[in-house]
Amino acid sequence: MLSQQAFDDILSDAGKRIDGDIVWTADTGHYGAMRFRAAVLSAAGHPLFVAGWYRPQSSSLTYTVVHREVGRIYAINFGHPHTNPLTNESMGMKHKHYWTEAHGDAASYIPDDITEPWYSPVAVWRQFCLEFRIEHRGIMILPEV
């Protein structure tokens, strides 16, 4: 179990980084989809990685921060609307998930800090990294679908 304080510490840690370029590869299980996975390093030793998924045919883009011991703790989703189970509020085509000790990754909200559209995955990536305080020491290669 990840405590709320531990999640808050991860979120506020400005020492998180990804070393190297990010290259998308075909997701063989989903026609027309691309994906990547990258380790997130930190002096604090947080056991994290980031995964990305992009599928233009369904207007879908997702960046997910995964804690290796508890699963998804943070994500931006485009193209996957659902209802927030905590509030019964409808989440639109763009929403974020975040960890709470009481509800895991079920909490979600409609963000105003991600202003780029789903079809600009590199620009969304830059905003996502800035917001989650990850320094990407490399470039993201534009996915070729």
Side-chain angles (χ1 to χ4, degrees):
M1 179 55 124
L2 184 68
S3 72
Q4 192 63 51
Q5 184 61 55
F7 172 75
D8 293 343
D9 290 347
I10 290 169
L11 185 61
S12 66
D13 179 2
K16 298 183 299 285
R17 73 182 191 283
I18 296 171
D19 289 336
D21 296 343
I22 292 178
V23 178
W24 297 80
T25 59
D27 181 344
T28 56
H30 298 92
Y31 175 77
M34 304 292 289
R35 65 182 174 174
F36 75 85
R37 185 171 164 164
V40 177
L41 307 172
S42 70
H46 305 300
L48 305 175
F49 68 87
V50 175
W53 196 76
Y54 182 59
R55 188 177 192 190
Q57 295 88 337
S58 60
S59 305
S60 299
L61 173 66
T62 299
Y63 295 126
T64 303
V65 178
V66 177
H67 188 285
R68 294 180 191 275
E69 297 168 6
V70 298
R72 178 176 72 173
I73 61 170
Y74 202 80
I76 179 73
N77 289 333
F78 290 84
H80 306 283
H82 66 87
T83 300
N84 182 336
L86 308 179
T87 64
N88 283 332
E89 178 185 7
S90 177
M91 296 290 102
M93 296 298 280
K94 175 178 78 172
H95 61 276
K96 281 187 182 175
H97 288 267
Y98 61 96
W99 180 266
T100 66
E101 191 170 350
H103 302 288
D105 69 346
S108 57
Y109 67 98
I110 300 171
D112 58 10
D113 58 340
I114 303 291
T115 59
E116 296 292 340
W118 68 267
Y119 51 83
S120 297
V122 175
V124 172
W125 173 247
R126 287 187 196 115
Q127 289 183 328
F128 183 78
C129 287
L130 182 65
E131 197 276 332
F132 198 73
R133 303 183 79 173
I134 298 173
E135 178 188 3
H136 180 194
R137 298 177 180 174
I139 61 170
M140 173 180 277
I141 307 299
L142 190 64
E144 295 181 22
V145 289

